[in-house]
Amino acid sequence: MPVAFSYKAKDHNYRLMPDGRPSGITYSDDTYRFCVFETDCASEPLVSSNRDRQAIETKIAAYLTVLERRLFETHFDLPNLTVLFTSTTKTRVENMIALLVSKYPNFSGFQVFPTIISDSKQPEPGWAVKRPWTQVHGHLNLGES
């Protein structure tokens, strides 16, 4: 999805490609939540002064633009969108959340998720819906509408 926006006094033409296609959750009250997933393996810096270098803060700014302008409605024909980020460590997740504090506190959910090559035990099936996702101010529980 192409996203044009200004961030830190720079214009960006960003090609935003979620790591997971939009997925929907149906709730018992006939409402829906649609999600895209971003899997951070800590291979990109959180911030970068080099505009040509991919950084998490730029990706978050692109998602903020998608949410604020409701581009998911025109691009995916969806009524809502939740962006879910996973990363490899609690510290990295906390640093990602800190990038959002002043701009859009509940735009997303974050969780620590070990990579398949890490020594950490992989989570149980259904973990994404069963566990709460951390937000700037609270938690997001995908299992509840």
Side-chain angles (χ1 to χ4, degrees), residues 81-132:
L81 187 67
T82 300
V83 182
L84 301 171
F85 275 87
T86 62
S87 193
T88 55
T89 67
K90 182 179 178 187
T91 300
R92 179 105 171 151
V93 164
E94 289 169 351
N95 289 332
M96 292 167 75
I97 291 170
L99 295 172
L100 291 166
V101 169
S102 64
K103 182 69 175 157
Y104 202 92
N106 290 321
F107 111 99
S108 187
F110 295 85
Q111 279 209 36
V112 175
F113 184 80
T115 64
I116 59 172
I117 60 171
S118 74
D119 293 333
S120 301
K121 182 181 174 189
Q122 294 297 303
E124 72 284 353
W127 65 272
V129 176
K130 294 176 185 175
R131 292 185 190 171

